[in-house]
Structures are given as C-alpha cells and as structure tokens.
Amino acid sequence: MRKKTIISMFILLVGVSILSAQVEKPTWTKDKVMEETYYTIGTQAYIYSITPFMMYSVLYQTQQIPYESYTNGVPFNVWTKMTEIANVKNTRTVMPNVNTLYASTWLDLRKEPVLLDVPAFGSRYYSIGLQDAYMNYFNIIGSRTIGGYGGKFAICAANYSGLIPAGYTKVVSPTPLVWMLMRIAPTYMNEKEIEACRQLQSQVVLTPMSQLGNSAYDPSTYNHKLNIGVPDLSKSPLKFYEITNKYMQVNPPPRGEEALMAQFSRIGFNTSVNFDVATLSEPQKNGLLRGMVAAKEMINTEITNSDNIYNGWTIPSKDMGNYGFNYLTRAAMTMQSIGGFPWEEAIYIVGYKDLEGKEMDGEYNYVLHFGKDELPQVNAFWSLTMYELPSVMLYDNPLNRYQMGPQIESMSYNKDGSLDIYIGHQQPKEKSKQGNWLPAPSGWFVLSLRMYNPKADMFTLDAHKVPLPGVQKIQ
C-alpha cells in the first residue's frame, strides 16, 4: 500500500511539473491586459446598457420638446398625445403604427404613487402598457386584461408601503420610473371613429396621489423633469456609460443581476458610484471604444440575421416585451421596435422578402392571399403596413393609405371568405381590386403584419404551426 501511495504522489508531482512547464512567457503588457479587460467586459456592458440608455433618450427628448402649453417640454406624470393617426406629415418615426391614436407619458414614483383613471371603452380596442426602466412590461391595462369597463389604479414604487385611496387598485412598478404608452383603435379609419377615440383619450387621467381632489393642481408647476445629461454621443462616445450609470442609479437593476453588476464594476460601471470618463487611462478608453464597436455589430447581426424566417416573414423572439436575462434580444428590439408589446398583447412580424426569398420591389406587383382559414386569428384586429426602404418610414401616396386590414372600409373578402391584398406601385386596373390595393414605392419596401390581442393558436407562430402565407410576385 505504501508503495502505491508513493507512486501516486510521484505521478501527481510529475503532472504538476508538466502543467507548470506549459506556462509560457507573456507577450502582453499590463496595459494590454487592461485594455482587453475593458474590451471584453465593456462589450457585454454595452449590450446590457443600450436599452436603459435609449429609454433615457426617449425620456429626455419628451421633456425637452415643446408640447401644447408646455413650451419648455413635458414633465413627469403628464400625457403627450397624438390626436391624429400617424401619417407622412405628422410623424418621422421609423416603422410607425398607423392603427391607433397614441399617447405617452413618463411617471416618477419616487415621491408618491400616481393615480390612473380609465373610462369605460366598451368593445373598442385599447391598451395602456406600463414598462419599467428596462423596457419590460409589468402590466397592461386594456381591453384584453380588464375588458371595456374601465377602472381606477394607483401605480406605486416597489418600496411604497403607505395607503392608497379607496376604490383604486394597487399596481406595483419594479422601478421608480415608468414609461406608459396608450393605444386606442378606431374600428374604421374615418373621422367619426377617430373623434370617438379622441374623446376617450381625453378621459384617461393621471394625478399624483397628493393632488387628488385639488382643483388648483397645476401639472406644469407641480411635476418636474430629470436631466442627467444630453444623450448626444457624437463628440464623446464614452459619455454613454456616464449617462447610463446615472440612469441606473435612479432605477436600480432588477433582482438576480447582482453577479453581472459585480462583473461590470470591474470597469468602474457600478451604480454605487458615478462613472467618470476623465479618470480612465488610454488603455481603458480604447478597450471600451472597441467594445462599443463589437457590441453594435452583435446587435445589428441579431436584428438582420434572424434564425426564424417563415415564408419570407421574420418572426420575433417570444421574449419581446419581457426579456428576462436575454440582453442581446432586448438590445436588438430596443433598436428595432422600442416599447414593442409582448406577444400576449400583440404580435409584430416583418416581411423583408417575398415567398421566393427575394427582396420586394415596387417595380413588380405582388399579392398576399389569405385562405379563409389562414387569416390572422385575433380577438381585436390585424393590419398590414407598408414602409419604404431604406428609411423604413411610411410611403407617401395619393390615397394616404398606409395599411390594409379590417380598419380599411374599402377592403373586401372573396365569396369563399378568402382575402387578396394587392401590393404594388401602380394601382390595379380592375375596380374590384382597387379597394384592396396597398400602394408601394417604386423601389424597395418592407411590410409589417401586426396582430392585436392574438388568439392562443397564434402563440405557435414561432414554431410555424399556424398558417402564414407569403407575399407572391405576380408580374
């Protein structure tokens, strides 16, 4: 036994010697190690942080641009409303929704809860989506969740333990700042319907809890703004980390991310202290700048090279709207569709190519044919919207028609219940087709199919288990 032990120890010592012999003389300097550390961690930090940075950018822009009586920008807890459906004249947003009246507000719950009063909407589709500071929906108040009866809600920070007024339902936000988006849909795209939506929009009221019943409440003087820096990186790209760090100090990262934050703290990106670019060495700056370039490449690749293509349509991740630890998908969705709904509320798919896998060009004519059993299965409505490339903005056309779907009164179904949507730059000569024509630019274009309040079968779309016709070239 003693002999075996000696032999075992000898083998162990020899093994250690061999391993030791494999350690080679380094060729990197300490500065190089430092740069690579900031590069590798910085890449991941950028992917994580682009969402909070862009959320702050939206907030900053909202609070700087004049709106109605708010000549110096809109403070917290005040609605910014679009009282017209988006068109080429009133919006320059990339891939805008042309189905609903929009309204947006940022809530600040650090001081007190904010009360939300919602009128009865009847059978009309509406949604008031509440997102935390990291673009995760933690509640959606609307026709899908509470029906058309309306209600009263007290939106509170997670650390609020006080009372709320009688008759209000408590809604807890994971973060002190909340981005709230309201959508109200006209049944048809006519002025009577849109005016009905305006009236409902005006009845959705926000009130800081302490101001309930105060007839002298003045939103412009009572509420405030947040300014932690101008989110313009053109002169100093690394300012990105300074601004995001301050934003995350206001909105502590979600639970479960402690280990990730500990890793980020190795490059000074720590919510317990301010990030200061002026204190960085040149190797540290170089590493972070390289990391930003690499992270942007990863995000752009995630956007443009989806693994899930179904008959020319790009199917988004089911993590959309509630991303968990999937930071790369969150970053991609931030840059492509910031504030996009989770699948439960709406499914957005994008068609970059036709059924043959070719880019779509208005020089040709196309048709999207839905069999009777292939129409989008929804409890609300669906729409097909046209965007010209490369701007990904609405296409200006004589009919001012940007979408096709149930909201378009001229759209008609075939006798067997199927549907044909005609897509092209030139209007069809046959009158029977003109009501179903979706005008396209003369060059490249992209389509978006939006399905609001989808039925359960549609949740298998990512597995290609429900029908989804592709766009077919007919000329």
Side-chain angles (χ1 to χ4, degrees):
M1 179 65 105
R2 177 180 172 80
K3 185 176 181 181
K4 288 183 178 180
T5 301
I6 293 173
I7 292 172
S8 297
M9 290 179 65
F10 175 76
I11 293 172
L12 178 61
L13 290 170
V14 170
V16 171
S17 298
I18 292 172
L19 288 173
S20 299
Q22 291 176 343
V23 177
E24 299 176 356
K25 184 178 180 180
T27 58
W28 283 8
T29 64
K30 286 187 176 181
D31 280 350
K32 178 65 173 175
V33 172
M34 180 67 72
E35 179 177 330
E36 295 303 315
T37 299
Y38 273 64
Y39 164 65
T40 53
I41 298 177
T43 301
Q44 298 305 316
Y46 184 91
I47 291 171
Y48 178 92
S49 302
I50 188 61
T51 298
F53 177 82
M54 291 302 296
M55 293 286 277
Y56 171 69
S57 297
V58 172
L59 169 61
Y60 179 84
Q61 185 178 34
T62 299
Q63 296 189 340
Q64 297 300 315
I65 296 177
Y67 169 74
E68 294 186 346
S69 62
Y70 301 95
T71 55
N72 295 317
V74 181
F76 284 111
N77 312 325
V78 173
W79 286 113
T80 301
K81 301 173 183 177
M82 282 190 66
T83 56
E84 300 289 344
I85 301 296
N87 58 56
V88 293
K89 295 180 180 178
N90 67 14
T91 184
R92 297 303 295 167
T93 303
V94 172
M95 203 171 276
N97 163 336
V98 293
N99 310 119
T100 66
L101 288 187
Y102 255 110
S104 171
T105 183
W106 281 83
L107 310 181
D108 186 351
L109 308 176
R110 289 176 292 179
K111 181 179 179 181
E112 61 183 317
V114 175
L115 305 180
L116 171 67
D117 287 74
V118 181
F121 275 79
S123 60
R124 186 177 302 282
Y125 173 84
Y126 75 102
S127 61
I128 303 171
L130 288 77
Q131 299 171 82
D132 67 17
Y134 296 87
M135 211 174 74
N136 294 298
Y137 280 90
F138 61 90
N139 202 314
I140 297 176
I141 297 166
S143 49
R144 177 181 65 87
T145 56
I146 67 167
Y149 304 104
K152 295 175 178 289
F153 305 89
I155 305 167
C156 309
N159 62 356
Y160 181 76
S161 58
L163 299 176
I164 60 174
Y168 283 82
T169 299
K170 187 176 183 179
V171 175
V172 178
S173 170
T175 56
L177 301 189
V178 177
W179 187 22
M180 197 155 66
L181 293 172
M182 176 166 58
R183 299 168 172 88
I184 306 174
T187 304
Y188 297 109
M189 287 298 166
N190 60 51
E191 184 56 31
K192 180 180 179 181
E193 274 291 307
I194 295 172
E195 177 58 27
C197 292
R198 291 190 193 104
Q199 294 300 317
L200 289 166
Q201 188 186 60
S202 67
Q203 296 173 49
V204 181
V205 178
L206 291 169
T207 311
M209 192 171 71
S210 65
Q211 300 304 300
L212 182 64
N214 179 9
S215 60
Y217 166 56
D218 183 352
S220 64
T221 56
Y222 181 83
N223 299 297
H224 60 281
K225 301 178 184 179
L226 177 71
N227 189 344
I228 52 176
V230 181
D232 178 3
L233 308 179
S234 58
K235 295 181 179 180
S236 178
L238 294 181
K239 189 179 177 182
F240 169 89
Y241 292 101
E242 290 185 345
I243 291 175
T244 308
N245 180 254
K246 291 177 182 177
Y247 179 84
M248 290 169 60
Q249 289 175 1
V250 176
N251 300 280
R255 292 179 181 178
E257 296 183 345
E258 292 82 3
L260 183 64
M261 294 302 115
Q263 183 78 343
F264 291 167
S265 69
R266 294 184 59 197
I267 60 171
F269 193 59
N270 187 333
T271 55
S272 63
V273 295
N274 289 332
F275 186 93
D276 187 358
V277 174
T279 65
L280 298 176
S281 66
E282 286 305 308
Q284 291 170 339
K285 290 179 182 178
N286 292 338
L288 288 178
L289 289 170
R290 287 174 52 213
M292 294 178 77
V293 173
K296 289 176 184 177
E297 284 294 323
M298 294 173 68
I299 294 168
N300 290 337
T301 300
E302 181 75 6
I303 294 171
T304 58
N305 292 277
S306 172
D307 293 329
N308 198 340
I309 306 295
Y310 185 12
N311 290 336
W313 299 99
T314 298
I315 311 300
S317 168
K318 274 188 174 177
D319 289 338
M320 187 169 179
N322 281 296
Y323 299 95
F325 302 131
N326 193 344
Y327 306 121
L328 183 57
T329 295
R330 186 179 74 180
M333 288 299 102
T334 298
M335 304 311 293
Q336 186 178 30
S337 183
I338 190 168
F341 271 143
W343 276 45
E344 290 80 11
E345 189 65 32
I347 300 175
Y348 313 138
I349 63 175
V350 180
Y352 292 101
K353 297 182 180 181
D354 65 15
L355 190 58
E356 298 177 357
K358 297 179 180 178
E359 285 80 6
M360 293 179 288
D361 188 336
E363 178 184 349
Y364 304 100
N365 292 320
Y366 299 86
V367 63
L368 178 58
H369 174 80
F370 291 100
K372 180 180 179 180
D373 298 325
E374 296 176 330
L375 290 163
Q377 299 301 300
V378 293
N379 293 306
F381 66 98
W382 58 269
S383 76
L384 180 72
T385 308
M386 169 68 64
Y387 303 101
E388 59 182 337
L389 292 176
S391 66
V392 202
M393 293 182 181
L394 297 174
Y395 165 58
D396 194 3
N397 64 89
L399 296 183
N400 294 321
R401 183 184 292 171
Y402 311 109
Q403 62 132 324
M404 183 56 61
Q407 290 179 313
I408 304 300
E409 293 179 87
S410 68
M411 190 183 80
S412 61
Y413 294 83
N414 300 319
K415 291 182 179 180
D416 61 358
S418 64
L419 175 67
D420 291 305
I421 298 176
Y422 301 97
I423 304 164
H425 187 58
Q426 298 296 329
Q427 179 176 265
K429 295 179 180 179
E430 304 92 330
K431 287 188 177 181
S432 61
K433 296 181 179 180
Q434 291 174 4
N436 289 23
W437 174 48
L438 181 58
S442 58
W444 306 111
F445 63 85
V446 62
L447 298 166
S448 177
L449 181 61
R450 292 175 168 89
M451 295 163 277
Y452 292 87
N453 194 356
K455 293 183 177 179
D457 286 351
M458 298 303 294
F459 299 139
T460 63
L461 189 62
D462 61 324
H464 304 185
K465 291 185 178 180
V466 290
L468 181 63
V471 177
Q472 302 178 63
K473 186 164 66 174
I474 56 177
Q475 178 181 318

